[in-house]
């Protein structure tokens, strides 16, 4: 895979300096990747495109790489990332395939074991010029096959020790976001104070927020109007996310659920309204357009990454 001078490290540093965040958008098929590509092209925004282990398995390695390369050719400020790699082997595989960065997510292990495994991934990846994201604290919700029932907020001191010992390039922290479409039982909150404390200890550590979907309620209405049955869906507060971007060192924000929801609600609508439509291109194109709209909106309103290419 082609490596340009404007690599991922360049954009992480730029984001730290200019107070924007790279969207890390998950994809699992050609259409979802195209919706990210088009949004980034239209807004002239750099971004990370992420695949989980299960998405990699679903698409297959060769298709994943081929799809990404097709996008990279059209828009070089896109970077391929492995999301929530659980083992050294899966991270190694992604490094060998030419990914720009990998996440080793072993925050469910003890601090010592997490440090040990993360270090092993860092050693391997750095030799090949690939960046590594680690995680400290636990983010509620399902992360591939592992699920955490509750948030274990990141301790700033542990975050500092972990980042220093492992030499990760980015650190995912738990401050109240969570995976999936239903993140809160009550009012959405974020512990931005934890970010402040980490920044006092390590002022230039790139910070990552997972589970950052905002869950647009109009999309939920559409989803349910056309046969869906989502009872409760509360996302992260957009203003708090903006604050995390503008006042803190959050330079990578992960979004999957918002893309899935926009895609699926629109697809449902088209299929419900056209009961004889059998051509996948007709409904997938609509889903893709809606996802693109939601991604562009996020880039402009929350991530502040427009025109940062
Ligand atoms: O953080 C997890 C992502 O939303 C990926 O989920 O394993 O269902 O692809 P997945
Ligand atoms: P959401 O479920 O909030 O979109 O989070 C996705 C994520 O963190 C992927 O790593
Ligand atoms: Zn995640």
């Amino acid at each position: 895979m082609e490596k340009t001078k404007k690599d991922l490290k360049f954009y992480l540093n730029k984001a730290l300096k200019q107070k924007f965040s790279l969207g890390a958008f998950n994809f699992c098929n050609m259409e979802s990747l195209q919706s990210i590509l088009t949004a980034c092209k239209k807004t002239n925004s750099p971004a990370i495109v992420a695949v989980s282990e299960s998405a990699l398995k679903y698409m297959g390695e060769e298709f994943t790489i081929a799809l990404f390369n097709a996008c990279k050719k059209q828009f070089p400020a896109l970077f391929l990332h492995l999301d929530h790699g659980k083992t050294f082997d899966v991270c190694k595989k992604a490094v060998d395939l030419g990914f720009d960065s990998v996440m080793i997510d072993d925050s469910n292990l003890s601090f010592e074991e997490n440090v040990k495994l993360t270090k092993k991934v860092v050693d391997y990846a750095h030799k090949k010029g690939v960046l590594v994201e680690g995680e400290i604290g636990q983010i509620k919700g399902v992360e591939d096959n592992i699920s955490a029932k509750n948030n274990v907020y990141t301790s700033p001191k542990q975050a500092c020790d972990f980042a220093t010992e492992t030499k990760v390039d980015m650190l995912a922290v738990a401050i109240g976001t969570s995976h999936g479409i239903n993140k809160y039982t009550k009012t959405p909150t974020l512990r931005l104070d934890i970010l402040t404390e980490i920044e006092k200890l390590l002022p230039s550590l790139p910070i990552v927020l997972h589970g950052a979907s905002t869950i647009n309620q109009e999309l939920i209405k559409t989803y349910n109007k056309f046969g869906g049955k989502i009872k409760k869906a509360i996302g992260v507060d957009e203003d708090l996310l903006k604050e995390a971007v503008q006042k803190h060192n959050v330079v990578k924000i992960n979004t999957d659920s918002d893309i899935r929801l926009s895609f699926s609600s629109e697809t449902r609508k088209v299929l419900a309204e056209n009961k004889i439509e059998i051509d996948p291109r007709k409904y997938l194109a609509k889903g893709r357009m809606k996802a693109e709209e939601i991604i562009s909106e996020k880039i402009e309103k929350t991530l502040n990454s427009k025109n940062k290419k």
Side-chain angles (χ1 to χ4, degrees):
M1 219 168 291
E2 183 207 356
K3 295 253 192 258
T4 60
K5 251 170 72 195
K6 284 189 175 183
D7 57 10
L8 181 54
K9 189 98 188 165
F10 168 87
Y11 283 106
L12 289 177
N13 287 333
K14 182 168 172 169
L16 270 179
K17 281 191 202 120
Q18 297 185 15
K19 290 284 166 229
F20 67 90
S21 190
L22 293 166
F25 303 111
N26 285 71
F27 72 98
C28 63
N29 60 12
M30 181 182 78
E31 284 79 8
S32 50
L33 182 57
Q34 285 173 328
S35 63
I36 303 164
L37 170 69
T38 311
C40 290
K41 276 165 92 172
K42 280 189 181 164
T43 55
N44 211 22
S45 166
I48 291 165
V49 290
V51 280
S52 63
E53 283 190 50
S54 57
L56 190 59
K57 201 167 163 196
Y58 175 78
M59 291 184 284
E61 291 166 18
E62 287 191 0
F63 280 108
T64 304
I65 298 298
L67 286 171
F68 174 71
N69 280 342
C71 292
K72 184 88 182 168
K73 217 166 154 184
Q74 290 184 44
F75 193 73
L78 287 182
F79 300 96
L80 184 61
H81 174 77
L82 174 73
D83 195 23
H84 295 288
K86 287 286 172 201
T87 60
F88 173 78
D89 286 348
V90 74
C91 291
K92 178 181 181 296
K93 190 203 286 172
V95 169
D96 295 344
L97 283 169
F99 279 50
D100 296 285
S101 55
V102 297
M103 175 191 193
I104 175 73
D105 172 8
D106 280 303
S107 54
N108 56 313
L109 302 179
S110 70
F111 179 83
E112 291 73 23
E113 284 173 312
N114 189 3
V115 166
K116 195 173 160 200
L117 189 50
T118 304
K119 254 178 155 171
K120 189 174 169 190
V121 173
V122 168
D123 284 347
Y124 187 80
H126 280 183
K127 274 188 199 125
K128 306 217 172 186
V130 174
L131 305 189
V132 179
E133 172 184 340
E135 179 176 311
I136 191 89
Q138 272 185 50
I139 299 162
K140 200 178 77 164
V142 177
E143 298 179 349
D144 249 322
N145 301 321
I146 310 273
S147 74
K149 277 217 176 83
N150 294 302
N151 261 311
V152 179
Y153 289 111
T154 299
S155 135
K157 164 88 172 71
Q158 269 201 348
C160 174
D161 293 345
F162 183 80
T164 310
E165 282 186 46
T166 58
K167 300 193 169 54
V168 286
D169 305 279
M170 311 168 245
L171 185 64
V173 295
I175 61 163
T177 60
S178 58
H179 292 99
I181 58 168
N182 193 19
K183 302 179 188 297
Y184 300 95
T185 45
K186 289 186 244 133
T187 322
T189 49
L190 283 187
R191 291 276 314 273
L192 297 177
D193 59 299
I194 294 177
L195 301 181
T196 308
E197 292 309 310
I198 296 173
E199 287 150 7
K200 278 184 198 159
L201 299 168
L202 287 175
S204 55
L205 174 71
I207 294 175
V208 180
L209 290 187
H210 281 248
S213 280
T214 49
I215 314 294
N216 181 316
Q217 294 303 307
E218 286 307 310
L219 296 179
I220 296 287
K221 276 188 202 152
T222 306
Y223 193 87
N224 286 339
K225 186 173 167 192
F226 295 102
K229 278 198 168 50
I230 292 177
K231 283 214 181 84
K232 213 171 159 210
I234 307 176
V236 178
D237 183 284
E238 201 181 301
D239 289 333
L240 290 175
L241 271 187
K242 276 190 210 166
E243 198 177 328
V245 174
Q246 289 164 14
K247 300 195 180 148
H248 295 278
N249 290 346
V250 174
V251 292
K252 174 175 177 280
I253 291 194
N254 289 20
T255 302
D256 191 349
S257 299
D258 281 343
I259 301 173
R260 294 177 182 194
L261 178 62
S262 47
F263 209 105
S264 302
S265 60
E266 199 61 18
T267 307
R268 260 187 191 283
K269 180 168 181 267
V270 181
L271 288 173
E273 286 175 345
N274 303 277
K275 296 218 186 307
I276 57 164
E277 185 56 76
I278 62 158
D279 183 347
R281 290 172 297 182
K282 296 281 163 39
Y283 50 86
L284 292 178
K286 294 280 185 190
R288 184 171 67 182
M289 260 164 65
K290 194 71 192 175
E292 181 213 310
E293 187 188 311
I294 293 294
I295 296 165
S296 298
E297 213 178 279
K298 210 175 268 298
I299 286 173
E300 295 191 26
K301 289 193 187 157
T302 313
L303 302 169
N304 192 29
S305 63
K306 189 179 177 183
N307 290 329
K308 300 291 196 303
K309 197 191 117 186

